[in-house]
Amino acid sequence: MMLPEAMTTLAASGAGALVAAMATDVWQGARGGAVRLYRRWNGDRNATLEAQLDQHALLVRQADDPDRARQLLSGQWQLLFAQLLSEHPDAEADLRALVETIRRELPESGKQWVQTNIARDQGTVYGVQGGNVIHYHQGLPAAPGSAGEDGRQQ
């Protein structure tokens, strides 16, 4: 299952939002949204989804460290959302709407930001959340024996 980076990021955002809602006051709405999303795209093929959601919420509620439990469950939900998007690319808008709804309803302490930055082939990435990036770049000095800016040999 090879998804474009944007879809992979969306699957991670969906997982993060869903597990952040577990064992909170917004859980029932998040749970219902996830069930509706899967029913719309997979019909009754995911009959165990509701039981799985309930079991995972119970695990978070009973955990000594709920944040750690959420972190461990997030990977499973990311995989499930990635599979959904792989099989039904048109589900992207529905998953995005679910993520936005959950994030809007979560209290500030339950909101998590996800940022994925990837640089390849000697590229540079600058990432920031909630602030500014100020970057001053000064070129590297010319290598000995190379032409300078004016074209003369150094």
Side-chain angles (χ1 to χ4, degrees), residues 30-54:
R31 179 190 180 280
V35 168
R36 283 189 298 279
L37 174 72
Y38 271 88
R39 279 197 183 137
R40 175 167 185 210
W41 293 98
N42 287 333
D44 290 330
R45 201 172 88 189
N46 291 315
T48 61
L49 180 74
E50 291 182 68
Q52 188 174 15
L53 286 164
D54 292 338

Side-chain angles (χ1 to χ4, degrees), residues 117-130:
N117 301 305
I118 299 170
R120 292 193 175 97
D121 302 323
Q122 300 177 8
T124 303
V125 173
Y126 301 95
V128 67
Q129 292 181 346

Side-chain angles (χ1 to χ4, degrees), residues 73-130:
L73 291 170
S74 182
Q76 183 175 351
W77 287 102
Q78 182 177 355
L79 182 61
L80 289 170
F81 285 139
Q83 182 179 8
L84 176 75
L85 291 171
S86 177
E87 293 172 3
H88 307 284
D90 293 341
E92 178 183 359
D94 292 341
L95 179 55
R96 197 172 301 282
L98 176 63
V99 170
E100 290 306 314
T101 299
I102 294 171
R103 285 185 178 166
R104 212 177 22 252
E105 293 176 7
L106 279 174
E108 285 298 318
S109 63
K111 294 182 181 178
Q112 296 179 3
W113 295 86
V114 175
Q115 179 173 332
T116 303
N117 301 305
I118 299 170
R120 292 193 175 97
D121 302 323
Q122 300 177 8
T124 303
V125 173
Y126 301 95
V128 67
Q129 292 181 346

